[in-house]
Amino acid sequence: MWLQREIGLQPRSRGFYLVTGEVVDAMPEIAELSVGIVHLHIMHTSASLTLNENASPDVRRDFESWFSDAVPERASYWTHTLEGPDDMPAHIKASLLGPSLTVPVGEGRLKLGTWQGVYLCEHRDAGGGRSLVATVWGE
Amino acid sequence: MWLQREIGLQPRSRGFYLVTGEVVDAMPEIAELSVGIVHLHIMHTSASLTLNENASPDVRRDFESWFSDAVPERASYWTHTLEGPDDMPAHIKASLLGPSLTVPVGEGRLKLGTWQGVYLCEHRDAGGGRSLVATVWGE
Amino acid sequence: MWLQREIGLQPRSRGFYLVTGEVVDAMPEIAELSVGIVHLHIMHTSASLTLNENASPDVRRDFESWFSDAVPERASYWTHTLEGPDDMPAHIKASLLGPSLTVPVGEGRLKLGTWQGVYLCEHRDAGGGRSLVATVWGE
């Protein structure tokens, strides 16, 4: 079985968001797989995807704090500044976290750990809507 | 061919560990594949997987030094502190390195470079045992 | 359909390089797939792959600036120093960005966003040629 589908995510302000439900609901066919993989790919260079703790909103807030501290807006070495001070840090953060996730599927559902959820990582102040390509394969 | 199997890793103290042998030994069926992929997924949000240098233990020690310096325990911006000072840094490190690896298989074995080994990255002081889901597909 | 092929990349000095064309040209069979995945794996521990902005050379220059600042050559905590001051930082950078990319294929071509290109991230001053293993599967 192969399936590929685009998933649109609404505009969000800069920060880290739990989107596991939105993503899983868009692929009900996962229930038919005894074993397989879900691949999620974000079509952008200033937003990214990761898996992390799905319970405490303060974890997601602390993600934003650490990344904004580690990749500062006002560093002397930036030369790509035409698109605003949040743009070049957004590119770096996007590559640190990565543009895609591969999640195993077993017995009809994502095999995530108890505390693992899918994060949309929005690195622009106003990045607009974001598009994912979800690709699923298995048997 | 599809195969999915859980691999249990014993508790280890905080640090970076070479686990290539443990992981490969758990999937002897790789030998039957002419081409394929091994996907390793860690079921946790405070430990991660990466590939890096498989020869010098000092490389793994220096990984621990850099990550502990780059993601400090006692930063003023942490708000998620209830689970101990090593918890929130562990979540950040886990996402920087990522929860999964995809390794090509060719002619019956992992196509790793000469110096590439699988690292378990344990970011908690006492994270306990860790579970991987290994998924293999190919022909 | 399964395909696996080694792609050799010429020696480049330290920095970030757009290699989308080189990589895509090496896999013309992608055109035959209605849906699938391209997996790119770098066989090294001091170079890496990522997706990022494909238009402005200054973005790639700023990547080099940020990574060299965030993972400094002359830190007091390095113990693996025998292979030169650029070696241990190269290992860290390689794991931060990761050794592989998985890109969805749809209707005969890579489903990359408008601004997404494949970067070779060369972290050594003189790392020599680099080898990728490209694995493609789909239908």
Side-chain angles (χ1 to χ4, degrees):
Chain A
M1 193 249 261
W2 278 90
L3 178 156
Q4 192 169 73
R5 188 168 292 158
E6 196 154 325
I7 302 174
L9 300 176
Q10 63 181 74
R12 288 168 165 97
S13 59
R14 182 162 147 182
F16 291 73
Y17 298 90
L18 196 58
V19 296
T20 319
E22 278 181 73
V23 165
V24 170
D25 289 351
M27 297 175 290
E29 297 89 344
I30 291 173
E32 302 163 24
L33 291 174
S34 62
V35 58
I37 295 283
V38 168
H39 181 262
L40 298 171
H41 176 76
I42 196 162
M43 303 287 274
H44 308 275
T45 61
S46 56
S48 53
L49 299 172
T50 193
L51 295 181
N52 220 290
E53 209 257 4
N54 60 15
S56 307
D58 49 2
V59 171
R60 300 193 287 280
R61 187 171 54 225
D62 287 358
F63 262 77
E64 176 58 32
S65 297
W66 185 83
F67 275 91
S68 288
D69 185 69
V71 193
E73 295 204 351
R74 307 284 174 185
S76 59
Y77 43 71
W78 300 132
T79 63
H80 180 77
T81 54
L82 271 178
E83 296 177 62
D86 63 320
D87 183 62
M88 193 57 225
H91 290 308
I92 301 283
K93 294 170 189 175
S95 278
L96 286 172
L97 289 163
S100 69
L101 289 176
T102 44
V103 182
V105 174
E107 293 162 13
R109 55 186 198 80
L110 295 187
K111 296 205 83 167
L112 291 170
T114 309
W115 303 105
Q116 287 182 314
V118 178
Y119 282 21
L120 169 68
C121 317
E122 175 55 73
H123 305 303
R124 294 302 308 264
D125 292 344
R130 300 299 195 173
S131 297
L132 307 184
V133 173
T135 308
V136 183
W137 63 99
E139 65 173 17
Chain B
M1 191 251 261
W2 278 90
L3 178 156
Q4 192 169 73
R5 187 168 293 158
E6 196 155 325
I7 301 174
L9 299 177
Q10 64 183 72
R12 288 167 164 98
S13 59
R14 182 162 148 181
F16 291 73
Y17 298 90
L18 196 58
V19 296
T20 320
E22 276 180 75
V23 165
V24 171
D25 289 352
M27 298 175 289
E29 296 89 344
I30 291 172
E32 301 163 24
L33 291 174
S34 62
V35 58
I37 296 283
V38 168
H39 181 262
L40 298 171
H41 176 76
I42 197 162
M43 304 287 274
H44 308 276
T45 62
S46 56
S48 53
L49 298 172
T50 193
L51 295 180
N52 220 291
E53 210 256 6
N54 59 17
S56 306
D58 48 3
V59 171
R60 300 192 289 280
R61 187 170 54 224
D62 287 359
F63 262 77
E64 176 59 31
S65 297
W66 185 83
F67 276 91
S68 289
D69 185 69
V71 193
E73 296 203 350
R74 307 284 175 185
S76 59
Y77 44 71
W78 299 133
T79 63
H80 181 77
T81 54
L82 270 178
E83 296 177 61
D86 62 322
D87 183 62
M88 193 57 224
H91 289 308
I92 301 283
K93 295 170 189 174
S95 278
L96 287 172
L97 290 163
S100 69
L101 290 176
T102 44
V103 182
V105 174
E107 294 162 12
R109 55 187 196 78
L110 294 187
K111 295 204 85 167
L112 290 170
T114 309
W115 304 105
Q116 286 182 315
V118 178
Y119 282 20
L120 168 68
C121 317
E122 174 55 73
H123 305 304
R124 295 300 309 264
D125 292 344
R130 299 298 193 173
S131 296
L132 307 184
V133 172
T135 308
V136 183
W137 64 98
E139 66 175 15
Chain C
M1 192 250 263
W2 279 90
L3 177 155
Q4 193 170 72
R5 188 167 293 158
E6 195 155 326
I7 301 173
L9 299 176
Q10 63 181 73
R12 287 166 165 99
S13 58
R14 183 162 148 182
F16 291 73
Y17 299 90
L18 196 58
V19 296
T20 320
E22 278 180 73
V23 165
V24 170
D25 290 351
M27 297 175 290
E29 296 89 345
I30 291 172
E32 302 163 25
L33 291 174
S34 62
V35 57
I37 296 281
V38 168
H39 181 263
L40 298 172
H41 176 75
I42 197 162
M43 304 286 274
H44 307 276
T45 61
S46 57
S48 54
L49 298 172
T50 193
L51 294 181
N52 220 290
E53 210 257 4
N54 59 17
S56 306
D58 49 3
V59 171
R60 300 193 289 280
R61 187 172 52 225
D62 287 359
F63 262 77
E64 176 59 31
S65 297
W66 184 82
F67 276 91
S68 288
D69 186 68
V71 193
E73 296 204 350
R74 307 285 174 184
S76 58
Y77 44 71
W78 299 134
T79 62
H80 181 77
T81 54
L82 271 178
E83 296 177 61
D86 63 321
D87 184 62
M88 194 57 224
H91 289 308
I92 301 284
K93 295 170 189 174
S95 278
L96 287 172
L97 289 163
S100 69
L101 290 175
T102 44
V103 182
V105 175
E107 293 162 15
R109 54 186 196 79
L110 294 187
K111 296 205 85 166
L112 291 171
T114 309
W115 304 104
Q116 287 182 314
V118 178
Y119 282 21
L120 169 68
C121 318
E122 175 55 74
H123 305 304
R124 294 302 308 265
D125 293 342
R130 299 300 194 172
S131 296
L132 307 184
V133 173
T135 308
V136 184
W137 63 99
E139 65 174 15

